[in-house]
């Protein structure tokens, strides 16, 4: 247990392969090692670099003032594509890579949508993935629509670094406020402006006040909030930082808790400044007395990939078939994964190290085949990891290359007490260490090297059936290559065969891949019989059999036929373990392939805290919805758990239909390391691409009010938020790295509560209210809860902070369903104790069989008045008249159900004490009265 704790203490927070992993450090109030990466698909334009410098410099000053003199940008690296011409100012990257980019400059998600946004799919206070700016935005071509780029960078940085959310909501741009008026969703509410319809055609513009939609009782579709150009309000940066007077984040005093903003929904109605103050950044800084210096910039140009394999051949590698399995995986890496144009060398080590191959540039299969012959053949001797790494330094420098940015793929299965002696030399060298640990022992010092040099670390068990070692090598594609160059894993599967000798299956090759398709079969005892049929039913021959390494492989020339390939493997021994791995590359460099990446929310965890699995399925930058995504989590002892991941916006999943599939993992079996692999596939017409605007996007400024007149901006390209296109059948697998668990005990009783309900919604049912939500589980999002507690209050803060004191709804007859089912409950609201209440607030808490309770849900709002529109000068087209039974008092009113995510209306008769008098029966669903 002591060594495990030491291992956990050495592991720094480091997101895993297939996900963003920022290298940013906060030192003396300044953010260092910020990386801005220009995508390989961006045409060369030196002005982009100059504008990036100007943007960050302006942002640093704005950030410093906005955070009360706490933070600024100190050092920034700009990664420049290899296709751009060399320049004396450009240097070779050290640890910096596209994987670590905090900001990317890349083509828009869809043509014409130059919207800046932050890829943010986790909970409040969690760091996001990256910021996405388009070249046109950086070049200042969208200044009118989005405001100064430096200010916008600070807005997006708050998403990225502190996990706050926007204080506007384009899905719910208006709401009914306590003032009994219709207000624009914003923070603070002190931002002044006008709500108008503004249309232009042929150089002529027409402006009119917005009318009330008779269904929602809010403003009609197309109504927009136009802020006054001249403002005095200082908040908030997370609403519209482009307003000249806005220089602060909303705090407790200025925060608008009424507005249906994502900040309110995701951060439980706390202001952005409250969330920022809770961050580690804030806790580790003090107010600066002096003005900070301007940021410094490093211009780093991507160049040839240089990678040296450092392979352990010590005596312990002779057991559990480790040496052979290492060679199988290394051969797959050499024959398929490593990209053409890369330089590859090889070192083997036991108690000493030997160079088995100097650096060779991969130009064709002949170089790959030669490297394969240099792999170790015998396991013997001790373990000297530092010797192997230093020998790799020799290989790289002897070829005339710098260590900066060069990669070492280190595979080892044991501990080495001397490894810590070279930590300093390795981290100072600029080389990147990718660690593949085989078996239960991995030296702590090497894990530290991998983390501190920005490398990946993967762990593989001795369970050949999991195919973990091949997956680990297959994940080591270049972090700086264009997507079209990278090897993409379509299938990775293993099976231990006993009574049934057959391993049958299919692999889908979709039209976005097919180039350099490579199939690898491995076995443990005897070569199986192999049959492979292409989509047209033709039997495919030509496998190369390598009996010494117990593997057979086939490379399909050109682009493989699109469709479903069928394989049938028959074992010739009993028992036998067979595996199949299929990889390919993009068929067309101009069509982005479908990809899947995976990660856990953290890489060290103490029981009983849950882990969260994330898998992102994209085509380019466009989310892919409707895929079947599963996670396979394997413990160090070989126990596996399979989780179906969901994109339903409930439980661990922050946003519905964003292409990120999530789930809690709580089913621990032991302390130690766990590895993650994700599978994603889709059948015919089952998946689709979402073509709407990206989430967490910058607020588009429709125009300004100047001297009472609207000065409109060019209209934003129209995109239907619900627009989708069907995606063809596909299959993908991806390694998500590993995480370490400590403190687990098998004797622990029920320790996991239900997950928080985050999608509480409501619809009108005559004079009753029907609530709907996604069912949580007995253990977060697994199983079935025991009961629901529903409470209402006239005060949002009371319901949030003193939930147990609020009035409880009778839920007799409400029987909880299994986790991730849709729940529905109808009830009739009665009197609430708060006088002068303008809203009823509703929330839910779940209770499991051990009386463990969930966090309180998001809060549904019920407004007890008819919201008033702005006075309209347009008498020829007035707003609809109030209902006939409307009076200025509260005897007869309209109940406006306003929930973050929806606004609905239901007419209900209420008394001056806000008590429902009329009665309606409903037998179609559970219902109750107080």
């Amino acid at each position: 247990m002591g060594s495990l704790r030491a291992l956990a203490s050495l592991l720094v927070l480091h997101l895993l392969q297939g996900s963003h992993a920022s290298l940013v450090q906060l030192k003396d109030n300044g953010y260092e090692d910020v990386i801005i990466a220009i995508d390989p698909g961006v045409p060369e334009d030196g002005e982009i670099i100059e504008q990036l410098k100007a943007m960050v410099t302006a942002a640093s000053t704005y950030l410093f003032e906005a955070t009360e003199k706490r933070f600024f940008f100190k050092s920034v690296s700009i990664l420049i594509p290899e296709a751009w011409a060399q320049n004396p100012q450009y240097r070779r990257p050290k640890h910096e890579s596209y994987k670590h980019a905090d900001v990317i400059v890349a083509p828009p998600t869809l043509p014409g949508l130059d919207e800046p946004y932050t890829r943010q799919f986790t909970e409040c206070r969690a760091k996001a993935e990256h910021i996405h700016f388009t070249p046109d935005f950086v070049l200042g071509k969208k200044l009118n629509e989005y405001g100064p780029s430096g200010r916008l960078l600070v807005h997006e940085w708050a998403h990225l670094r502190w996990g706050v959310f926007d204080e506007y909501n384009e899905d719910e741009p208006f709401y009914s406020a306590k003032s009994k008026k219709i207000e624009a969703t914003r923070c603070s509410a002190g931002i002044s402006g006008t709500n108008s319809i503004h249309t232009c055609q042929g150089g002529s513009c027409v402006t009119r006040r917005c009318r009330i939609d008779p269904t929602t009782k809010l403003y009609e579709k197309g109504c927009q909030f136009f802020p006054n150009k001249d403002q005095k309000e200082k908040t908030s940066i997370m609403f519209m930082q482009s307003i000249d007077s806005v220089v602060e984040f909303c705090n407790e005093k200025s925060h608008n808790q009424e507005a249906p903003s994502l900040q309110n929904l995701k951060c439980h109605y706390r202001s952005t400044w409250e969330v920022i103050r809770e961050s580690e950044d804030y806790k580790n800084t003090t107010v600066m007395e002096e003005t900070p210096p301007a940021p410094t910039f490093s211009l780093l140009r991507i160049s040839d990939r240089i990678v040296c394999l450092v392979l352990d051949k010590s005596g312990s590698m002779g057991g559990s078939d480790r040496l052979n399995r290492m060679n199988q995986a290394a051969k797959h890496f050499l024959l398929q994964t490593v990209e053409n144009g890369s330089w590859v060398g090889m070192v083997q080590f036991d108690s000493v190290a030997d160079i088995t191959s100097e650096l060779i540039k991969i130009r064709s299969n002949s170089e790959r085949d030669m490297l394969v012959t240099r792999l170790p053949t015998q396991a013997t001797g001790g373990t000297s990891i530092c010797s192997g790494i230093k020998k790799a330094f020799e290989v790289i420098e002897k070829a005339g290359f710098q260590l900066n940015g060069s990669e070492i793929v280190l595979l080892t299965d044991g501990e080495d007490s001397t490894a810590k002696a070279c930590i300093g030399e390795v981290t100072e060298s600029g080389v990147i260490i990718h660690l593949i640990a085989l078996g239960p022992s991995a030296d702590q010092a090497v894990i530290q090297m991998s983390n501190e040099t920005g490398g990946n670390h993967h762990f593989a068990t001795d369970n050949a059936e999991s195919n973990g070692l091949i997956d680990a090598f297959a994940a080591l594609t270049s972090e700086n290559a264009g997507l079209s160059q990278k090897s993409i894993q379509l299938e990775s599967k293993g099976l231990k065969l006993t009574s049934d000798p057959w391993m049958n299956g299919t692999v889908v090759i979709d039209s976005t891949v097919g180039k350099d398709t490579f199939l690898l079969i491995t076995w443990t005892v005897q070569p199986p019989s192999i049959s492979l049929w292409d989509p047209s039913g033709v039997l495919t021959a030509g496998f190369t059999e390598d009996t010494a390494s117990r593997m057979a492989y086939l490379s399909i020339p050109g682009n493989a036929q699109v469709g479903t390939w069928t394989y049938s493997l028959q074992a010739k021994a009993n028992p036998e373990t067979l595996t199949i791995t299929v990889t390919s590359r993009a068929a067309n460099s101009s069509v982005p392939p479908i990809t899947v990446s995976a990660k856990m929310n953290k890489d060290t965890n103490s029981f009983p805290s849950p882990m969260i699995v994330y898998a992102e399925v994209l085509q380019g930058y466009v989310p892919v919805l409707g895929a079947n995504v599963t996670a396979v989590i394997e413990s160090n002892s070989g126990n596996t758990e399979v989780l179906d991941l969901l994109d339903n916006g409930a439980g661990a999943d922050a946003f519905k239909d964003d292409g990120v599939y999530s789930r809690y993992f709580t089913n621990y079996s032991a302390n130690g390391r766990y590895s993650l692999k994700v599978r994603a596939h889709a059948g015919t017409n089952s998946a689709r691409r979402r073509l709407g605007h990206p989430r967490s996007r910058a607020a588009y400024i429709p125009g300004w009010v100047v001297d009472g007149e609207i000065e409109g901006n060019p209209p934003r390209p129209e995109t239907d938020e619900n627009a989708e296109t069907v995606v063809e059948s596909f299959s993908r697998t991806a390694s998500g790295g590993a995480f370490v668990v400590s403190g687990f005990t098998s004797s622990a009783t029920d320790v996991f509560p239900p997950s928080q309900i985050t999608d509480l919604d409501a619809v009108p049912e005559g004079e009753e209210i029907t609530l709907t939500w996604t069912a949580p589980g007995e253990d977060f999002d697994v199983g079935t809860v025991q009961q629901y507690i529903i409470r209402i209050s006239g005060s949002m803060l009371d319901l949030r902070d003193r939930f147990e004191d609020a009035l409880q709804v009778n839920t007799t007859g409400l029987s909880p369903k299994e986790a991730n089912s849709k729940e529905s409950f109808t009830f009739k609201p009665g009197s609430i104790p708060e006088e002068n209440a303008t809203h009823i607030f509703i929330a839910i808490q779940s209770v499991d069989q051990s009386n463990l309770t969930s966090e309180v849900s998001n809060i549904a709002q019920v407004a007890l008045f008819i919201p008033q529109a702005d006075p309209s000068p347009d008498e020829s087209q007035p707003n609809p008249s109030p209902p006939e039974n409307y009076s200025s008092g509260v005897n007869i009113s309209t109940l406006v159900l306003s929930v973050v995510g929806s606004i609905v209306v239901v007419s209900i008769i209420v008394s001056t004490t806000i008590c429902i008098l009329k009665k309606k029966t409903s037998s179609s669903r559970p219902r109750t009265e107080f």
Side-chain angles (χ1 to χ4, degrees):
M1 181 64 72
S3 62
L4 178 62
R5 288 185 180 137
L7 171 62
S9 67
L10 284 170
L11 285 167
V12 298
L13 183 61
H14 176 74
L15 299 181
L16 303 173
Q17 169 68 22
S19 66
H20 167 70
S22 176
L23 300 180
V24 172
Q25 299 182 66
L26 180 63
K27 292 184 179 178
D28 300 324
N29 295 77
Y31 288 110
E32 298 182 347
D33 301 327
V34 178
I35 298 176
I36 302 177
I38 302 174
D39 188 270
V42 174
E44 182 168 359
D45 186 348
E47 186 60 20
I48 290 178
I49 296 173
E50 298 307 310
Q51 290 299 324
L52 286 172
K53 291 180 180 179
M55 175 177 69
V56 175
T57 302
S60 185
T61 301
Y62 189 60
L63 177 66
F64 182 66
E65 296 299 330
T67 57
E68 300 178 353
K69 303 183 186 302
R70 280 189 180 266
F71 306 115
F72 67 98
F73 293 117
K74 185 181 292 186
S75 64
V76 177
S77 297
I78 300 176
L79 284 182
I80 299 164
E82 186 176 2
W84 288 30
Q86 185 59 274
N87 185 304
Q89 299 180 56
Y90 300 165
R91 296 186 292 105
R92 179 179 170 84
K94 191 176 180 181
H95 301 151
E96 304 86 355
S97 71
Y98 286 121
K99 184 190 79 169
H100 302 303
D102 304 288
V103 181
I104 62 171
V105 180
T109 55
L110 294 171
L113 292 183
D114 286 278
E115 299 172 298
Y117 70 95
T118 300
R119 192 68 174 127
Q120 183 178 22
F121 53 72
T122 50
E123 65 271 14
C124 184
R125 296 190 298 170
K127 291 181 175 66
E129 299 297 290
H130 61 256
I131 299 167
H132 184 149
F133 291 144
T134 67
D136 278 358
F137 170 80
V138 172
L139 292 170
K141 298 179 181 180
K142 302 297 176 181
L143 181 63
N144 290 337
E145 294 91 331
Y146 297 104
S149 61
R151 285 176 166 237
L152 183 56
L153 174 57
V154 173
H155 174 103
E156 301 301 336
W157 186 261
H159 286 308
L160 180 76
R161 187 71 185 181
W162 303 312
V164 298
F165 291 85
D166 290 323
E167 291 169 337
Y168 44 83
N169 189 341
E170 293 184 7
D171 295 327
E172 282 192 70
F174 300 100
Y175 67 100
S176 53
K178 288 182 180 179
S179 62
K180 300 187 179 180
K181 292 183 179 180
I182 301 174
E183 293 282 0
T185 302
R186 65 196 190 281
C187 192
S188 76
I191 295 291
S192 60
T194 181
N195 306 310
S196 298
I197 296 284
H198 182 76
T199 56
C200 297
Q201 188 173 9
S204 176
C205 297
V206 176
T207 301
R208 65 170 174 82
R209 296 283 185 169
C210 302
R211 306 182 187 114
I212 292 181
D213 184 311
T215 301
T216 66
K217 294 298 188 289
L218 296 174
Y219 286 132
E220 63 190 299
K221 184 178 180 181
C223 181
Q224 292 179 295
F225 175 73
F226 292 84
N228 292 331
K229 186 69 174 176
D230 185 17
Q231 302 268 356
K232 294 182 180 179
E233 189 66 34
K234 292 185 177 182
T235 58
S236 170
I237 291 170
M238 297 313 292
F239 170 60
M240 198 171 285
Q241 75 293 326
S242 51
I243 296 174
D244 290 341
S245 65
V246 170
V247 292
E248 299 174 0
F249 294 99
C250 265
N251 55 30
E252 296 95 323
K253 294 182 180 179
S254 58
H255 182 55
N256 181 6
Q257 289 182 322
E258 291 187 81
S261 65
L262 276 179
Q263 173 64 21
N264 277 333
L265 173 64
K266 296 298 182 185
C267 298
H268 224 44
Y269 301 90
R270 289 175 299 159
S271 69
T272 54
W273 189 241
E274 288 177 86
V275 175
I276 293 170
R277 284 205 312 263
E278 295 170 359
S279 69
E280 290 300 317
D281 286 359
Y282 190 94
K283 294 175 182 177
N284 293 328
T285 56
T286 56
V287 175
M288 293 179 64
E289 296 181 359
E290 298 181 355
T291 302
T296 61
F297 297 91
S298 301
L299 304 182
L300 309 176
R301 179 177 172 271
I302 303 302
S303 53
D304 291 343
R305 185 184 191 189
I306 299 160
V307 57
C308 187
L309 300 183
V310 178
L311 306 177
D312 188 346
K313 58 174 287 292
S314 60
S316 57
M317 288 291 291
S320 302
D321 199 32
R322 289 180 179 175
L323 186 72
N324 184 64
R325 290 182 58 225
M326 177 188 75
N327 284 345
Q328 291 173 343
K331 285 182 179 180
H332 184 269
F333 176 81
L334 294 170
L335 292 172
Q336 171 68 5
T337 304
V338 69
E339 300 80 9
N340 277 337
S342 304
W343 293 80
V344 182
M346 194 183 306
V347 169
Q348 62 182 18
F349 70 92
D350 42 48
S351 54
V352 295
D354 298 307
I355 299 172
T356 56
S357 176
E358 305 288 353
L359 285 181
I360 300 173
K361 188 168 186 176
I362 304 295
R363 293 185 173 88
S364 65
N365 288 339
S366 61
E367 290 85 11
R368 298 177 185 271
D369 292 339
M370 183 178 67
L371 285 165
V372 164
T373 65
R374 308 293 176 87
L375 290 167
T377 57
Q378 186 176 5
T380 184
T383 304
S384 178
I385 293 171
C386 285
S387 296
I389 292 174
K390 290 179 180 179
K391 191 65 72 172
F393 286 0
E394 286 183 32
V395 171
I396 295 167
E397 292 178 323
K398 185 177 179 181
F401 293 107
Q402 301 176 16
L403 294 179
N404 271 1
S406 298
E407 302 169 65
I408 289 177
V409 176
L410 171 65
L411 183 143
T412 182
D413 75 335
E415 298 183 0
D416 174 8
S417 60
T418 66
K420 58 181 178 292
C422 62
I423 290 177
E425 182 181 355
V426 171
T427 55
E428 289 296 320
S429 70
V431 78
I432 299 167
I433 303 289
H434 302 300
L435 169 65
I436 300 176
L438 177 56
S441 300
D443 196 272
Q444 302 161 12
V446 185
I447 296 172
Q448 184 178 356
M449 289 180 202
S450 177
N451 283 325
E452 293 188 0
T453 62
N456 301 310
H457 51 264
H458 295 267
F459 300 96
T461 68
D462 288 320
N463 177 18
E465 182 182 347
S466 70
N467 213 23
L469 198 53
I470 290 175
D471 292 339
F473 269 97
L476 295 177
T477 57
S478 171
E479 293 163 0
N480 293 320
L483 193 55
S484 63
Q485 298 174 267
K486 293 187 177 185
S487 176
I488 298 172
Q489 197 171 55
L490 308 185
E491 178 63 281
S492 172
K493 183 178 179 181
L495 196 61
K496 186 173 183 179
L497 302 170
T498 52
S499 57
D500 184 356
W502 293 96
M503 179 177 170
N504 302 319
T506 59
V507 178
V508 176
I509 297 182
D510 58 279
S511 64
T512 71
V513 293
K515 183 180 179 182
D516 297 338
T517 301
F518 188 85
L519 293 89
L520 173 67
I521 312 292
T522 73
W523 58 88
T524 55
V525 183
Q526 294 182 25
S529 64
I530 302 171
S531 300
L532 175 70
W533 294 271
D534 69 17
S536 60
V538 176
L539 187 65
T540 304
F543 276 87
T544 299
E545 192 173 283
D546 181 350
T547 54
S549 297
R550 298 196 286 278
M551 57 186 281
Y553 54 90
L554 170 69
S555 182
I556 299 175
N559 281 353
Q561 187 177 339
V562 172
T564 300
W565 292 65
T566 303
Y567 62 85
S568 182
L569 311 179
Q570 184 183 17
K572 299 300 184 181
N574 187 1
E576 177 67 278
T577 298
L578 303 179
T579 75
I580 181 169
T581 306
V582 184
T583 54
S584 191
R585 285 184 166 83
N588 187 331
S589 60
S590 63
V591 178
I594 296 168
T595 59
V596 59
S597 59
K599 71 169 188 177
M600 306 297 294
N601 62 323
K602 48 191 172 182
D603 65 352
T604 60
N605 191 43
S606 296
F607 183 83
S609 177
M611 297 290 290
I612 300 177
V613 187
Y614 295 109
E616 188 173 23
V617 186
L618 301 172
Q619 185 173 8
Y621 295 108
V622 178
V624 175
L625 315 180
N628 186 311
V629 184
T630 57
V632 180
I633 299 173
E634 183 181 18
S635 72
N636 212 27
S637 60
N639 290 332
T640 59
E641 287 290 330
V642 179
L643 284 176
D644 290 327
L645 306 186
L646 305 173
D647 187 12
N648 62 350
D653 193 61
F655 295 100
K656 183 178 181 179
D657 290 344
D658 66 344
V660 178
Y661 300 73
S662 318
R663 201 73 183 271
Y664 286 106
F665 172 68
T666 59
N667 202 5
Y668 304 109
S669 57
N671 288 309
R673 293 191 303 267
Y674 291 74
S675 62
L676 166 67
K677 179 162 71 175
V678 164
R679 308 179 191 274
H681 72 269
T684 304
N685 297 327
S686 66
R688 59 214 186 272
R689 299 163 73 226
R690 187 177 67 82
L691 303 178
H693 298 283
R695 298 190 189 277
S696 291
R697 57 187 179 270
Y700 173 82
I701 306 166
W704 300 97
V705 178
V706 180
D707 296 329
E709 299 292 330
I710 291 178
E711 294 182 357
N713 285 325
R716 182 169 57 178
E718 289 295 326
T719 297
D720 183 355
E721 283 298 301
N722 299 316
E724 298 173 351
T725 58
V726 174
V727 174
E728 61 194 296
S729 301
F730 69 88
S731 62
R732 299 287 187 273
T733 65
S735 171
F739 61 95
V740 176
V741 172
S742 61
F744 171 77
T745 170
S746 58
S747 61
T749 55
D750 185 7
V751 294
F752 299 113
S755 59
Q756 181 190 28
I757 294 168
T758 58
D759 61 348
L760 178 61
D761 201 355
V763 294
E765 290 286 332
E767 298 166 6
E768 299 173 319
I769 298 172
T770 295
L771 302 178
T772 58
W773 65 94
T774 301
E778 169 80 8
D779 295 335
F780 285 95
D781 56 9
V782 175
T784 305
V785 300
Q786 182 74 13
Q787 65 170 318
Y788 295 114
I789 299 173
I790 301 176
R791 295 182 185 271
I792 66 171
S793 173
S795 167
M796 178 189 294
L797 290 181
D798 285 350
L799 191 63
R800 183 191 72 176
D801 300 332
R802 293 182 292 276
F803 179 78
E804 292 183 356
D805 295 335
L807 192 62
Q808 184 170 349
V809 174
N810 184 352
T811 56
T812 302
L814 175 56
S815 179
K817 298 178 181 178
E818 187 177 356
N820 300 303
S821 303
K822 294 304 293 185
E823 296 277 27
S824 177
F825 177 69
T826 299
F827 73 103
K828 179 179 288 188
S831 60
I832 57 175
E834 291 84 352
E835 294 183 3
N836 302 318
T838 59
H839 293 70
I840 295 176
F841 299 97
I842 310 168
I844 305 180
Q845 194 173 49
S846 308
V847 184
D848 71 8
Q849 295 179 7
S850 300
N851 278 331
L852 298 177
T853 56
S854 69
E855 293 184 47
V856 176
S857 71
N858 64 298
I859 298 175
Q861 303 180 29
V862 179
L864 301 171
F865 54 85
I866 297 177
Q868 302 171 12
D870 293 335
S872 175
D874 185 0
E875 297 299 333
S876 63
Q877 294 177 330
N879 288 301
S881 299
E884 292 181 1
N885 61 352
Y886 172 75
S887 71
S888 59
V890 292
N891 285 345
I892 300 176
S893 185
T894 296
L895 183 67
V896 179
L897 200 61
S898 174
V899 185
V900 177
S902 71
I903 294 180
V904 293
V905 177
V906 54
S907 296
I908 290 183
I909 298 178
V910 298
S911 74
T912 54
T913 59
I914 316 175
C915 180
I916 303 302
L917 301 177
K918 294 186 70 178
K919 182 177 181 181
K920 178 181 178 180
T921 59
S922 174
S923 59
S924 60
R925 55 179 57 83
R927 59 177 295 278
T928 186
E929 300 175 20
F930 283 30

